[in-house]
Amino acid sequence: MTGPFAWFKWEALFAEWTVFGEGALMTLAASMLALALSLALGVMFGVMSTSHWKIAKAISRIYVEFIQNTPLVIQIFFYYHGLPHLGLSLPVFSIGVLGVGVYHGAYISEVVRAGIQSIPKGQREAAYSQGLNYVETMKYIILPQAKRIVLPPLANQAVSLVKNTSVLAMIAGGDLMYRADSWSSQNLYYGPAYVTTGILYLMLCLPLASLARNLEKKAEVHA
Amino acid sequence: MIALKGIDKHFGHHHVLKNIHFHVKSGEKVVIIGPSGSGKSTLIRCINLLEKPSSGEVHVDGIEITAHKAPVTKVRQSIGMVFQQFNLYPHKTVLENLTLAPVLVKGVRKEEAEETGMKYLERVGLKDKAHAYPAHLSGGQQQRVAIARALNMHPKIMLFDEPTSALDPEMIQEVLDVMVDLAHDGITMVVVTHEMGFAKQVADRVIFMDEGKIIEEAKPEDFFNHPKNERARLFLSKIFR
């Protein structure tokens, strides 16, 4: 009887380390693209949710509530199984980026909204009184101040985002989680496969988490 | 220069301004006084439309800014405003506070805005703070910067909404000094304040408000010595004890 972590299993894993290396790179790439997408969506919908334009506010609300209150897995399955019926077949990597980006965009939108609302209304009034319009006021006065407040929670969102790219495994996305799954289901060396995968995720996320902590400390100093 | 015609303002069930008619001539200094909650801050904020009247018209420099699609941001460029809470931009240095709007909305060259900005900072006695951030200044210094910021737009009108109410007593005078100096310039000024000394010294006209209405309007010497209205008399007796 051999244990789940028998040495020969580790040897097999090290011999085929590129499987995991490529998976980690794929996860990293999907994470960075999804993060860029979620930031763009988050800032856009976050700003919309604070505007006085009722339609913009409503659209933002619907997006946030719809995305936050359904599981990410179902959203991914919709893009994977649903969209082709509507004549749109996306590659799995794009589905991962889109799915995770749209999902975290909703959370980032709420972070941005809270950040904007935390800026005293006198700032807006001072800018308006000098003849700045809404967009100028947002761009030069409100968002630069909100940025300091939202950076720590944004870094936390980035950590969740990296971990959530693992849903790609469910649609054969070629990411780290998927590679670990498929590699170990062939040889049943689950132990080393999942420990290694866990450590790789940790290596991706720990720097982000410590960045979040540092930003939080900095924000406290400035407050 | 400024004309408010039949202004009403409701906040929910609160009727804050009741059929206000208010005119200010070019170069005139008008001081608005009255008990808190009388609507004087709402009134002054209607002049640059930070508060939108529920009904009535606001005319500034011949333009009806309450009209549909009126050039509100353009008109605001010629109206400087100083707030009770200073409202300096905390992420910008003092000089950047002065140059941001002129460069952005008036298209003034940065060097030129900095040059005039330094002149105004010198005038309010804060030239040496040009590169400091607002958080490192005292309340009185912040308010003087706020005045310089408004002046650097070269406004025709200056609005002051209780500019000394948030200041420690020892800092009030330095701000009033700047305002008195400014009054000698001939700029049009509307000031909401509790500083009666300032009103006596610079006002061409004093407006007394209570419960959303203008109750008395007079030259300062007449108003302070012989107030006609009973409520104005009561108010003054509470202030001058």
Side-chain angles (χ1 to χ4, degrees):
Chain A
M1 172 85 186
T2 53
F5 297 104
W7 180 245
F8 70 90
K9 294 181 179 176
W10 285 100
E11 280 180 329
L13 186 146
F14 291 139
E16 295 179 86
W17 68 273
T18 50
V19 172
F20 292 84
E22 281 167 17
L25 280 180
M26 186 72 105
T27 289
L28 187 64
S31 297
M32 290 197 309
L33 290 171
L35 186 63
L37 176 64
S38 66
L39 280 175
L41 290 173
V43 171
M44 189 172 90
F45 284 97
V47 168
M48 276 164 64
S49 69
T50 62
S51 81
H52 289 292
W53 194 33
K54 284 206 177 88
I55 297 171
K57 236 174 163 162
I59 291 172
S60 175
R61 206 66 238 150
I62 291 167
Y63 164 62
V64 169
E65 295 301 341
F66 204 78
I67 295 296
Q68 281 193 349
N69 295 303
T70 53
L72 172 57
V73 174
I74 288 185
Q75 292 168 28
I76 294 288
F77 281 178
F78 169 75
Y79 300 125
Y80 188 64
H81 296 296
L83 284 187
H85 292 291
L86 304 172
L88 184 64
S89 294
L90 294 171
V92 280
F93 181 76
S94 306
I95 289 178
V97 170
L98 180 71
V100 175
V102 168
Y103 182 77
H104 281 280
Y107 284 89
I108 290 174
S109 163
E110 288 291 87
V111 169
V112 170
R113 179 176 65 85
I116 290 172
Q117 286 174 343
S118 73
I119 306 302
K121 91 177 191 307
Q123 288 295 309
R124 205 162 308 193
E125 292 182 350
Y128 286 160
S129 81
Q130 292 202 285
L132 275 70
N133 62 30
Y134 175 77
V135 173
E136 290 162 345
T137 301
M138 272 294 157
K139 185 172 165 196
Y140 295 99
I141 307 299
I142 306 299
L143 289 179
Q145 293 184 60
K147 196 175 82 184
R148 271 219 294 257
I149 294 163
V150 304
L151 273 180
L154 276 189
N156 283 327
Q157 277 297 316
V159 173
S160 303
L161 183 146
V162 171
K163 292 184 295 180
N164 277 341
T165 56
S166 60
V167 294
L168 268 171
M170 306 192 74
I171 53 169
D175 68 311
L176 179 55
M177 194 65 215
Y178 174 74
R179 300 288 173 115
D181 259 344
S182 69
W183 183 80
S184 58
S185 63
Q186 285 161 29
N187 54 27
L188 305 181
Y189 298 167
Y190 294 111
Y194 288 140
V195 168
T196 303
T197 300
I199 290 171
L200 285 170
Y201 274 112
L202 198 65
M203 283 165 59
L204 288 173
C205 292
L206 262 186
L208 283 171
S210 71
L211 173 71
R213 242 194 333 276
N214 284 338
L215 288 171
E216 234 160 273
K217 265 192 221 133
K218 245 170 109 183
E220 272 167 29
V221 172
H222 284 291
Chain B
M1 185 59 100
I2 302 169
L4 272 58
K5 299 178 183 172
I7 297 293
D8 274 86
K9 177 69 186 177
H10 300 265
F11 287 119
H13 293 299
H14 279 284
H15 198 173
V16 188
L17 293 178
K18 296 167 186 163
N19 193 26
I20 296 282
H21 291 268
F22 176 65
H23 297 260
V24 181
K25 290 197 288 274
S26 182
E28 202 180 9
K29 326 292 176 230
V30 177
V31 170
I32 306 174
I33 62 174
S36 60
S38 57
K40 49 196 195 307
S41 275
T42 308
L43 171 63
I44 199 173
R45 289 160 58 85
C46 279
I47 296 173
N48 64 354
L49 242 50
L50 282 187
E51 222 63 82
K52 220 176 163 217
S54 308
S55 62
E57 293 176 8
V58 178
H59 296 252
V60 174
D61 208 8
I63 299 170
E64 192 204 330
I65 56 175
T66 37
H68 183 60
K69 293 205 166 161
V72 177
T73 54
K74 183 86 189 153
V75 172
R76 279 175 175 158
Q77 292 172 24
S78 63
I79 311 174
M81 187 162 203
V82 175
F83 300 85
Q84 185 175 349
Q85 300 295 342
F86 330 134
N87 297 346
L88 294 178
Y89 309 131
H91 59 304
K92 303 277 180 191
T93 65
V94 164
L95 188 58
E96 286 166 351
N97 263 275
L98 268 66
T99 57
L100 185 136
V103 171
L104 189 62
V105 303
K106 286 183 80 181
V108 177
R109 275 187 314 114
K110 190 161 172 261
E111 298 75 29
E112 193 188 325
E114 284 177 350
E115 201 180 307
T116 56
M118 288 306 285
K119 252 193 277 174
Y120 284 120
L121 282 179
E122 189 169 10
R123 184 164 173 190
V124 301
L126 289 169
K127 205 177 166 188
D128 56 325
K129 300 288 185 190
H131 302 290
Y133 281 89
H136 296 131
L137 304 183
S138 72
Q141 290 172 330
Q142 289 193 44
Q143 195 60 301
R144 279 144 65 199
V145 170
I147 295 171
R149 174 176 71 177
L151 290 176
N152 208 28
M153 291 288 284
H154 310 300
K156 294 177 186 162
I157 300 166
M158 281 288 281
L159 308 176
F160 292 85
D161 186 8
E162 303 206 28
T164 57
S165 297
L167 294 175
D168 291 335
E170 74 272 21
M171 293 174 182
I172 290 176
Q173 199 53 48
E174 65 188 56
V175 172
L176 290 178
D177 288 344
V178 169
M179 290 169 64
V180 170
D181 176 52
L182 188 60
H184 294 144
D185 265 13
I187 195 168
T188 308
M189 276 170 85
V190 180
V191 183
V192 172
T193 187
H194 296 293
E195 295 297 327
M196 299 303 145
F198 174 82
K200 282 180 186 169
Q201 196 179 345
V202 306
D204 297 313
R205 192 151 46 103
V206 173
I207 304 268
F208 178 75
M209 285 185 73
D210 195 19
E211 293 179 352
K213 288 182 190 153
I214 293 176
I215 296 200
E216 193 160 340
E217 196 168 348
K219 284 188 158 47
E221 53 270 27
D222 295 337
F223 177 76
F224 288 111
N225 298 328
H226 319 286
K228 292 191 205 77
N229 184 276
E230 184 52 39
R231 272 180 288 181
R233 248 194 300 263
L234 195 66
F235 178 75
L236 288 174
S237 73
K238 279 182 189 158
I239 284 189
F240 296 109
R241 269 176 303 190

